[in-house]
Amino acid sequence: MLWTLLIAHLAGIVVAGVAGRRGIRAGLAAAAIAPAATATWAISRLVGDADPATAELVWVAGLDLGVSFRLDSMALMMTTLVSGIGTLVFVYAIGYFSAGADGGVRFPTALLAFSTSMLGLVWADSVWTLFIFWEFTSITSFLLVGHKNTSADVLRAARRALMITGAGGLVLLAGLLLVAEAAGTTTISELGPITGSSASVAAILVMVGAATKSAQFPFHVWLPGAMAAPTPVSAYLHSATMVKAGVLLVAVLSPAMIDVDAWLWTGLAFGVTSMLWGAIGALRQRDAKLILAWGTVSQLGLLVTVLSLGSGKALFAGISLLFAHALFKAALFLVVGEVDIRTGTRDIAELGGLARSMPIAAAVAALAGLSMAGVPPLLGFMAKEAAIEAGLGLSGPERWIALGAITGGSVLTVAYTLRFWIGTFGPGPATEVAPRRLAMTAPAVLLALAGVLGYVFAGQVTDIVGPAAVEANEKASVYELIRWPGLKTAFVISIGIVAAGTALGWFLSARPVGAAPRTVGADAADETIEATLRFAPDITARVQHGSLPVYLATMIIAVIAATMPFFASAEIDHLVLWDRPLQAGLVAVTIVAAATGAVVGSRLGATLTLGAVGIGVSGIFVVHGAPDLALTQLVVETVIVVGFVLGFGSLAREFPRSSESWQTIRLVLSVISGIGIMSALAFAGSRPTGTAPIEALTDEAVDVGGGKNVVNVILTDIRALDTLGEVVVLATVAVGILALARVRADEVEAAS
Amino acid sequence: MSISLLIGVGALTSIGVYLITARTLSRIILGFVLLGHAAVLALLTAGGPSGAAPIAGGDAALANPLPQALALTAIVISFGLTLFMLALAVRQQTLTGDDLVEDDLEDQRIAQLAAENEHEADR
């Protein structure tokens, strides 16, 4: 079934592309089909009690290479979110874009491609598969952020997002490799607890990778910039799904990291700073969408904090928060998009009085905002209660850090939520409003109502998030979402949070809105990217200078270096002057001929000495007892000499001279390489590892090959396929030479 | 192991290396042929002492047939490569009038890019 769904998505991309030619709305409608089908299927499995579905495509079995998917409870919950919210976003986008908008093919296909990648990511059961789809989401996100590709700012923001998440992906890969190495398996569902120093390094690397994707401080700088994307993209990728990938990874890998201290502390460091810095950022913004974006940084920080705690209670709370956040944050973004489209602005200093003119949007924003603030009777309240309970259940210093951060971050969350709602919908000079578009309103209403229904049907939601959390920690099975806890410590803290947050939010809303602040660190990130782009050609120009002789010299030096180990076992006892005296004479003739060829000034002279060398070598073969080689060499040599004479007939007769210094380098290199190869060969021969299987080969040639010439039998029987390959090579060369020899008149013109 | 053959291998390697680091394509091909000879001789040298031709049925000690079979393949393949390079040299000569190996075009572009960067940094 997983393959069917994936193929349906891929087919959907094609169909959306075709439909998109007729307008962006047709493309979006076509693209919505596959996610809608997937969401329906996922929900049917949520209701029924199904075993995990798996799908696998083995490439190299011994190396665990291949694509492998596993739809466990966690993946099923994420599938429901990805495809469910995805479907709503596609419908919403139909209302968001005007019928004649640009990018009718590009936008729906890219958005569906993202949806597909995200499914692959949440289904992935091997570290390879996870990494590949992780990077796919980065790339599709880049395409979607840069949708309005005419503005330099937008393109810069898109590039920043790609660079940070892409680089984070590489760090993640390094971490995953270490995890797989330490755990002895690349299958994620089989990962056991890992320990040791490499586990600590792996924990930090994975956490950094997760932090880049989930916009954790200081990598969060890409997220506000990514708000340049159309709002459906922001709602889908940058609040509900893609930025959850890092958080999801923290949950999925927590069974492996349960004994690694570095995991907890790196996670807390990222989570706590992001939660607070993101919330402060949200309080300083005046663009409603940016308030939400900074709020997302903060909320993701909360998720990372809670999930990295690793206890059963924390996993249960974290997954509940993740589920709740996807619903309310998507709803808030959809509302902001509607406000943007209907009023033409998102600036809370300009907006006002929308509660009267856009009552449905205001109600949706209120419901979703209250869920975000953690107020009953909404899903977000129960999730936040669970998070505080998880903090209370800890011991040691992390208890106070986690509790302090959750409390502080939540107070700020209540404050910026209130400021967002008052700034957008609260009292003020009434903003002019365009008519409502049903396609935009309906998805937002559904998502906001989900928050209410989630509270009413707390038991059913527990049945969704509970098993998902159990995948990461078995102890999570005993917890459930509680509608009304009574006056327990956590509830008292919750009341305090809402009270303090409301007071702070009220106070800040009353103050005049200041100028929009710049994202601290965004310029530095851009500078780094620019500097890298300038730096790369400098390095490349030095390493890859383009001179063939220098490349060759580099390789020769490497070969010389490779001969060095042989000098460690320098023995000469096995050496004799010659096998037969004639051998020495022939070698001398060959060397003289070769040396003459190297120094002779004319090409024709060089060609003739080449022939002499070939004959000399043939002689050596004869003396050595290799008549087959000698005969072949003679034939080959004849053809080569004829070829040289034909080819060089048209060339200038004299070789041009090369520069003095290069000449010296060549001489030194050639002498050293000759001595190196010769000595390596001599020393390697001092310790034969056995005797040559001459008799065995001879017997086999007669018995099996039915021939007496052993060399021939080896070539035509034992290595027949290799010989066939050789023939193919020669035929290919012949065809190539034929093609090269034909020179058309226009090619001569082009070259000159 | 025969010192004569070892010296032959070393000398052919030396001269071959000297020739392939030249700028003229025809010299590079000459060097390539010599390196091919060196490789084949190295195979034979490593395979053991000389002997009678490896034909079954004789009384004398045979030469090792295995390196000979390998060497035959080496000879044939280097033959094909040599002729192909020769065709390239001839083609270049027909098109440009010489057979000098120019610096790679793409690499020249990168060098250009680096130079431009430097220029910008100076300003």
Side-chain angles (χ1 to χ4, degrees):
Chain A
M1 192 62 197
L2 297 181
W3 288 123
T4 316
L5 289 173
L6 263 194
I7 292 166
H9 273 78
L10 295 177
I13 294 173
V14 176
V15 174
V18 173
R21 288 171 177 279
R22 307 180 55 185
I24 195 165
R25 290 181 168 174
L28 287 164
I33 298 169
T38 309
T40 314
W41 178 74
I43 290 169
S44 75
R45 281 181 77 93
L46 273 181
V47 177
D49 227 2
D51 286 334
T54 55
E56 206 173 7
L57 191 71
V58 178
W59 174 29
V60 184
L63 296 175
D64 278 350
L65 279 184
V67 179
S68 89
F69 294 127
R70 183 167 187 273
L71 189 89
D72 55 21
S73 307
M74 179 107 72
L76 184 61
M77 182 196 88
M78 287 304 293
T79 306
T80 316
L81 289 177
V82 168
S83 294
I85 296 178
T87 311
L88 294 178
V89 164
F90 275 108
V91 173
Y92 176 85
I94 294 175
Y96 180 84
F97 286 102
S98 53
D102 281 345
V105 176
R106 193 153 44 90
F107 187 81
T109 48
L111 197 57
L112 186 56
F114 165 77
S115 195
T116 315
S117 317
M118 197 64 210
L119 284 181
L121 173 60
V122 302
W123 294 347
D125 194 32
S126 98
V127 294
W128 315 117
T129 315
L130 177 79
F131 172 73
I132 289 168
F133 284 98
W134 180 281
E135 294 294 53
F136 274 150
T137 60
S138 291
I139 293 166
T140 43
S141 159
F142 168 73
L143 295 174
L144 290 164
V145 172
H147 176 70
K148 295 173 200 146
N149 54 9
T150 47
S151 146
D153 277 348
V154 172
L155 293 182
R156 203 171 303 123
R159 190 179 66 184
R160 196 189 309 145
L162 177 67
M163 286 295 177
I164 294 178
T165 53
L170 293 180
V171 176
L172 171 71
L173 178 63
L176 288 177
L177 288 176
L178 285 176
V179 171
E181 182 67 32
T185 175
T186 56
T187 308
I188 293 171
S189 53
E190 288 169 11
L191 287 178
I194 61 174
T195 50
S197 56
S198 81
S200 300
V201 177
I204 294 170
L205 291 175
V206 169
M207 206 42 114
V208 168
T212 57
K213 197 82 165 180
S214 284
Q216 296 294 286
F217 183 90
F219 305 114
H220 67 288
V221 291
W222 68 265
L223 189 63
M227 292 302 127
T231 299
V233 173
S234 309
Y236 191 27
L237 275 69
H238 305 129
S239 78
T241 55
M242 187 185 88
V243 289
K244 297 286 188 339
V247 175
L248 181 73
L249 187 71
V250 175
V252 166
L253 287 189
S254 70
M257 299 294 184
I258 193 85
D259 294 332
V260 186
D261 280 346
W263 179 256
L264 170 68
W265 292 111
T266 322
L268 282 183
F270 277 128
V272 170
T273 46
S274 308
M275 195 183 340
L276 299 176
W277 183 243
I280 292 168
L283 285 170
R284 293 165 68 215
Q285 298 298 327
R286 56 187 289 172
D287 180 333
K289 194 171 171 186
L290 284 179
I291 296 178
L292 294 182
W294 282 91
T296 304
V297 172
S298 172
Q299 294 276 318
L300 292 170
L302 172 64
L303 288 172
V304 170
T305 306
V306 173
L307 286 173
S308 59
L309 294 174
S311 68
K313 218 174 189 176
L315 258 307
F316 177 77
I319 301 294
S320 310
L321 278 171
L322 190 158
F323 189 76
H325 181 259
L327 296 176
F328 64 66
K329 202 36 124 0
L332 286 171
F333 266 103
L334 296 186
V335 166
V336 164
E338 190 181 349
V339 168
D340 188 10
I341 291 289
R342 288 176 65 188
T343 65
T345 181
R346 302 187 307 238
D347 191 335
I348 59 170
E350 293 175 26
L351 290 169
L354 293 184
R356 255 191 308 277
S357 48
M358 294 176 65
I360 297 180
V364 167
L367 280 179
L370 288 173
S371 187
M372 178 153 83
V375 175
L378 291 154
L379 183 56
F381 164 74
M382 299 189 295
K384 191 156 284 180
E385 281 288 294
I388 297 170
E389 282 286 354
L392 288 170
L394 295 170
S395 56
E398 59 260 44
R399 178 174 202 243
W400 298 108
I401 295 174
L403 269 181
I406 294 171
T407 313
S410 300
V411 169
L412 296 175
T413 302
V414 175
Y416 71 69
T417 311
L418 191 62
R419 179 167 171 269
F420 162 78
W421 197 90
I422 293 176
T424 314
F425 299 99
T431 318
E432 230 176 279
V433 174
R436 183 162 56 227
R437 297 180 187 175
L438 181 64
M440 293 180 84
T441 311
V445 170
L446 281 177
L447 284 170
L449 283 181
V452 184
L453 292 175
Y455 183 82
V456 176
F457 297 100
Q460 277 75 2
V461 177
T462 303
D463 288 344
I464 297 172
V465 297
V470 170
E471 300 284 351
N473 190 327
E474 286 175 8
K475 292 181 197 144
S477 60
V478 296
Y479 303 104
E480 55 181 1
L481 291 170
I482 298 164
R483 258 186 239 117
W484 192 257
L487 271 184
K488 288 164 69 179
T489 320
F491 190 49
V492 174
I493 295 177
S494 263
I495 295 172
I497 288 171
V498 174
T502 310
L504 183 63
W506 209 271
F507 170 68
L508 289 174
S509 306
R511 286 177 20 150
V513 181
R518 293 189 58 78
T519 308
V520 180
D523 290 341
D526 285 344
E527 258 313 300
T528 313
I529 295 168
E530 290 287 343
T532 311
L533 291 178
R534 281 195 303 273
F535 182 60
D538 284 357
I539 291 288
T540 313
R542 283 203 178 90
V543 180
Q544 192 181 319
H545 38 67
S547 163
L548 177 67
V550 179
Y551 288 158
L552 280 170
T554 315
M555 292 185 219
I556 290 162
I557 291 171
V559 170
I560 293 171
T563 64
M564 287 302 140
F566 289 100
F567 284 84
S569 57
E571 280 175 40
I572 53 168
D573 295 344
H574 61 293
L575 297 183
V576 295
L577 269 183
W578 48 65
D579 293 328
R580 293 174 202 184
L582 187 55
Q583 194 177 46
L586 284 165
V587 167
V589 170
T590 310
I591 294 174
V592 169
T596 315
V599 294
V600 77
S602 83
R603 286 190 162 88
L604 197 62
T607 308
L608 290 178
T609 58
L610 189 66
V613 172
I615 291 167
V617 172
S618 302
I620 297 174
F621 289 156
V622 171
V623 173
H624 196 83
D628 290 295
L629 293 194
L631 287 172
T632 315
Q633 188 66 57
L634 276 177
V635 174
V636 161
E637 214 57 47
T638 315
V639 177
I640 288 181
V641 169
V642 170
F644 267 65
V645 172
L646 283 178
F648 289 171
S650 52
L651 280 171
R653 299 167 67 98
E654 305 290 315
F655 288 115
R657 302 199 64 80
S658 52
S659 75
E660 286 290 326
S661 56
W662 179 239
Q663 197 72 6
T664 318
I665 296 175
R666 284 172 66 193
L667 275 172
V668 172
L669 272 183
S670 62
V671 169
I672 298 179
S673 57
I675 293 174
I677 295 284
M678 181 173 73
S679 315
L681 186 59
F683 301 149
S686 66
R687 290 179 199 161
T689 48
T691 48
I694 301 175
E695 239 174 75
L697 282 169
T698 314
D699 294 344
E700 204 170 351
V702 176
D703 299 341
V704 182
K708 285 189 171 176
N709 185 330
V710 187
V711 176
N712 280 2
V713 172
I714 292 177
L715 285 174
T716 53
D717 281 301
I718 301 179
R719 299 181 45 208
L721 202 62
D722 287 12
T723 308
L724 182 70
E726 251 172 75
V727 175
V728 173
V729 168
L730 283 188
T732 314
V733 164
V735 173
I737 291 174
L738 212 65
L740 287 170
R742 283 206 193 115
V743 181
R744 294 199 314 273
D746 56 319
E747 286 175 325
V748 179
E749 256 167 54
S752 58
Chain B
M1 198 173 258
S2 154
I3 293 176
S4 306
L5 279 181
L6 285 172
I7 291 175
V9 171
L12 286 174
T13 309
S14 273
I15 302 170
V17 164
Y18 177 75
L19 284 172
I20 61 163
T21 45
R23 276 241 165 221
T24 356
L25 199 44
S26 41
R27 281 216 142 136
I28 294 176
I29 302 171
L30 288 178
F32 184 80
V33 173
L34 293 187
L35 284 178
H37 286 318
V40 169
L41 285 184
L43 273 175
L44 286 193
T45 314
S50 67
I55 311 288
D59 294 333
L62 300 184
N64 191 350
L66 196 61
Q68 294 191 21
L70 297 176
L72 255 180
T73 308
I75 292 173
V76 173
I77 295 295
S78 60
F79 164 67
L81 269 178
T82 307
L83 285 185
F84 192 78
M85 286 203 288
L86 193 60
L88 281 173
V90 171
R91 182 182 173 82
Q92 186 180 3
Q93 134 82 19
T94 325
L95 291 177
T96 65
D98 63 45
D99 66 340
L100 291 182
V101 178
E102 302 292 340
D103 283 358
D104 186 76
L105 203 62
E106 194 58 36
D107 293 344
Q108 282 179 21
R109 284 202 196 106
I110 292 170
Q112 179 85 24
L113 208 61
E116 275 168 20
N117 277 341
E118 217 145 282
H119 187 63
E120 260 174 41
D122 286 346
R123 275 189 304 180

